[in-house]
């Protein structure tokens, strides 16, 4: 304010001292208005981030509906409970350890070491909305894994892996690629970069979230083995279809809705201009473009899957279309902010064939994943990382990741191969890290007899044997009039024929 007063006082004239007093008063008012604008900016950005966090959290409902519809009716209550567990256990362990391991700065390039239990938060550049947003991402990774091991996993195993994944495995990966101190982060000082003097552009987490969840689910499902009856004695695939396509569609639309917080929300702020004041070139426009690329990639992937599976099976299958949509979303998540809409169409088209191809390979290898989570999130997530390194546009890269002239961008856009090399490294280190952490955990659980339920319980269904009854059983007064007070199930649950234990591969 002192500089303002010195410049303004001579212009006001008047008796000596009066001009200075008037200048001080006017400048103080300017300072008050300026501070109010700053407060408004913080409020707008915080509100935007909180709203995005709520959208990402709504994806848990989408996961729950998708998982419930994709399993057989006798395991509905079990899979719904695991989705609730992912959110609740994830909240506690991410609060205690995860956030500190991910963003605790200053730290080394491998792991954070501050903010355990949110100590010193708010402060140090972080506030509560940021924690809430990152927690919603952490439980999304855990939700992906729960789908891979559905219908045959002991409840205690869910407790253990969910706490370990959200409290340690996922936070370390997010530190590598999203923290300013991370060894492969795009925000790291280029003079200290350990990865080709560039960083990984994984904007919203095709690798950090989807590959981590997908690879963890892969090892869980592989170590457990397929569900009883999934493959016959000749090794042929036997479809164990989910009991409700309606729930699958509902879950898919809820996930689609939540992805508008997942991808555009990863900007973290919206009140930022890229050009002269008063222009349309700002972060708000980039947020809109990110929502468009997300929509196009998912939509094209869904349509491609529809016709691709029609050629393969002769049927128009809504469940396949939903999985294709989600595969497109998982793929575009890495580059959604730095590619043009036309490139997103390519991303979605290729991701559909990645998913179809991996599903064929899984059947040949007798790998059983009820939600196709490893193929969808792991495989399509890996493609999304490669896609970003090929199609990232220079202008968008410099807007989203400012302050580094000459930063590498997409190979096909003229940016050279350094970014592609960095992204190949990202895929390899994520596979290696998750394999070395989650693989031994699942092996230990199996060794201790805590991983898979018995064949008898699996045949009867976990809802009955582990949770006290079927999800679709009713025991109210109206039901007792029909069945003598013992409750009744939906007709579909009563008449469903399950494969026998003798058919186990």
């Amino acid at each position: 304010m002192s500089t303002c007063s010195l410049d303004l006082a001579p212009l006001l004239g008047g008796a000596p001292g009066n001009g200075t007093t008037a200048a001080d008063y006017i400048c103080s008012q300017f300072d008050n208005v300026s501070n109010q604008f700053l407060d408004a900016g913080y409020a707008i950005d915080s509100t935007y981030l909180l709203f995005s966090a709520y959208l990402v959290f709504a994806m848990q409902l989408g996961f729950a509906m998708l998982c419930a519809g994709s399993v057989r009716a006798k395991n509905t209550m079990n899979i719904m409970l695991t989705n609730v567990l992912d959110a609740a256990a994830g909240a506690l362990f991410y609060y205690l350890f995860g956030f500190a391991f991910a963003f605790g700065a200053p730290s080394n390039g491998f792991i954070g070491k501050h903010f355990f239990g949110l100590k010193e938060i708010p402060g140090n550049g972080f506030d509560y909305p940021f924690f809430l947003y990152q927690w919603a991402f952490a439980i999304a990774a855990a939700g992906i894994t729960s789908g891979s091991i559905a219908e045959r996993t002991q409840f205690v195993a869910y407790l253990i892996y969910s706490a370990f994944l959200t409290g340690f495995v996922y936070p370390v990966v997010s530190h590598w690629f999203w923290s300013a101190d991370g060894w492969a982060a795009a925000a790291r000082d280029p003079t200290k970069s350990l990865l080709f003097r560039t960083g990984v552009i994984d904007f919203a987490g095709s690798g950090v979230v989807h590959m981590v969840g997908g690879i963890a689910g892969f090892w869980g499902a592989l170590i457990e083995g397929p569900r009883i009856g999934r493959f016959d004695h000749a090794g042929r695939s036997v479809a164990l279809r989910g009991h409700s396509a309606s729930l699958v569609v509902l879950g898919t639309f809820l996930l689609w809705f939540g992805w508008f917080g997942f991808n555009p929300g990863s900007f973290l702020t919206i009140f930022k201009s890229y050009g002269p004041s008063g222009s349309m070139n700002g972060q708000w426009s980039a947020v809109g473009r990110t929502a468009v690329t997300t929509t196009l990639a998912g939509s094209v992937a869904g349509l491609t899957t529809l016709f691709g599976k029609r050629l393969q099976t002769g049927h128009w299958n809504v469940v396949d279309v939903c999985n294709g949509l989600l595969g497109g979303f998982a793929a575009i998540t890495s580059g959604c902010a730095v590619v043009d809409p036309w490139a997103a169409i390519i991303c979605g088209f290729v991701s559909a064939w990645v998913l179809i191809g991996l599903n064929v390979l899984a059947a040949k290898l007798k790998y059983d994943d009820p939600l196709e989570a490893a193929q969808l999130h792991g495989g399509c997530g890996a493609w999304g990382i490669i896609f970003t390194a090929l199609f990232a546009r220079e202008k968008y890269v410099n807007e989203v990741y400012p302050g580094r002239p000459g930063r590498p961008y997409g190979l096909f856009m003229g940016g050279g191969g350094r970014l592609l090399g960095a992204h190949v490294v990202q895929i390899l280190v994520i596979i290696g890290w998750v394999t070395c952490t989650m693989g031994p955990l699942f092996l230990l659980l199996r060794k201790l007899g805590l991983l898979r339920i018995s064949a008898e319980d699996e045949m009867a269904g976990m809802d009955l044997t582990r949770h006290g009854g079927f999800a679709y059983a009713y025991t109210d007064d109206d039901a007792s009039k029909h069945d003598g007070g013992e409750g009744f199930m939906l007709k579909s649950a009563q008449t469903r024929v399950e494969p026998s234990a003798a058919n186990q591969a």
Side-chain angles (χ1 to χ4, degrees), residues 177-220:
F177 303 112
W178 285 348
S179 171
D181 295 326
W183 64 270
R188 188 180 177 94
D189 184 342
T191 63
K192 301 177 182 179
S193 177
L194 303 179
L195 193 60
F196 307 130
R197 295 186 61 81
T198 183
V200 168
I201 299 178
D202 190 6
F203 183 72
S206 288
V208 174
V209 179
H210 295 283
M211 277 196 68
V212 168
I215 299 301
F218 169 79
W219 285 111

Side-chain angles (χ1 to χ4, degrees), residues 120-477:
E120 301 179 34
I121 301 294
N124 300 291
F126 296 113
D127 203 350
Y128 293 117
F130 183 74
F131 165 80
L132 192 73
Y133 188 69
Q134 296 301 330
W135 159 72
F137 269 63
I139 61 176
I144 292 168
T145 305
S146 66
S148 295
I149 57 178
E151 298 205 279
R152 60 205 188 275
T153 305
Q154 292 194 45
F155 185 69
V156 67
Y158 282 111
L159 282 169
I160 295 171
Y161 100 78
S162 183
F164 187 56
L165 185 66
T166 56
F168 180 66
V169 177
Y170 166 81
V172 169
V173 177
S174 59
H175 179 81
W176 293 349
F177 303 112
W178 285 348
S179 171
D181 295 326
W183 64 270
R188 188 180 177 94
D189 184 342
T191 63
K192 301 177 182 179
S193 177
L194 303 179
L195 193 60
F196 307 130
R197 295 186 61 81
T198 183
V200 168
I201 299 178
D202 190 6
F203 183 72
S206 288
V208 174
V209 179
H210 295 283
M211 277 196 68
V212 168
I215 299 301
F218 169 79
W219 285 111
L222 185 68
I223 292 169
E224 278 194 302
R227 292 166 291 173
I228 293 174
R230 179 64 179 86
F231 301 96
D232 63 19
H233 289 297
R236 292 171 299 190
S237 177
V238 178
L240 300 180
R241 298 191 181 280
H243 79 281
S244 176
S246 299
L247 288 178
V248 171
V249 172
L250 174 61
T252 300
F253 274 114
L254 286 169
L255 287 168
W256 190 339
F257 179 64
W259 236 292
F260 291 130
F262 205 94
N263 287 3
S266 291
F267 279 97
L268 305 181
T269 62
I270 194 171
F271 195 62
K272 178 181 178 182
S273 175
Y274 293 155
S277 178
S279 71
M280 292 182 62
N281 188 24
Q283 196 133 288
W284 48 86
S285 179
V287 166
R289 183 183 67 247
T290 300
V292 170
T293 57
T294 300
T295 300
L296 287 174
S299 299
V300 171
L303 291 171
T304 305
T305 305
L306 173 68
F307 290 100
K309 294 293 288 187
R310 175 67 171 81
L311 294 173
Q312 187 179 27
T313 66
H315 302 293
W316 305 101
N317 192 319
V318 66
V319 175
D320 290 333
V321 174
C322 288
N323 284 336
L325 275 164
L326 298 178
F329 292 144
I332 195 62
T333 295
S334 173
C336 54
V338 295
V339 300
D340 284 303
W342 61 263
I345 294 175
I346 298 174
C347 177
F349 178 79
V350 175
S351 69
W353 292 110
V354 169
L355 179 60
I356 292 172
L358 289 177
N359 282 334
V360 172
L361 180 62
K364 290 184 179 297
L365 298 178
K366 299 182 179 61
Y367 171 78
D368 181 24
D369 184 332
L371 272 293
E372 302 177 6
Q375 303 94 296
L376 193 160
H377 297 277
C380 293
W383 154 242
I385 294 169
I386 297 299
F387 161 78
T388 304
L390 299 177
F391 289 94
R393 183 177 171 184
E394 181 181 17
K395 175 185 175 183
Y396 301 151
V397 169
N398 289 329
E399 288 176 348
V400 176
Y401 300 97
R404 188 186 300 181
R407 179 191 291 273
Y409 52 99
L411 174 64
F412 292 168
M413 309 300 288
R418 280 197 294 157
L419 186 61
L420 178 60
H423 282 210
V424 170
V425 171
Q426 181 193 16
I427 293 172
L428 294 177
V429 297
I430 288 177
I431 292 174
W433 171 251
V434 178
T435 298
C436 291
T437 51
M438 297 301 294
L441 175 65
F442 284 120
L443 286 172
L444 178 62
L445 290 173
R446 187 179 71 174
K447 182 73 173 179
L448 296 175
L450 299 176
L451 185 58
R452 184 157 183 164
I453 60 175
S454 66
E456 293 76 13
D457 286 355
E458 186 175 343
M459 293 303 303
M462 284 186 285
D463 286 3
L464 181 63
T465 60
R466 301 300 175 103
H467 304 291
F470 291 106
Y472 296 111
Y474 299 87
T475 57
D476 56 18
D477 293 338

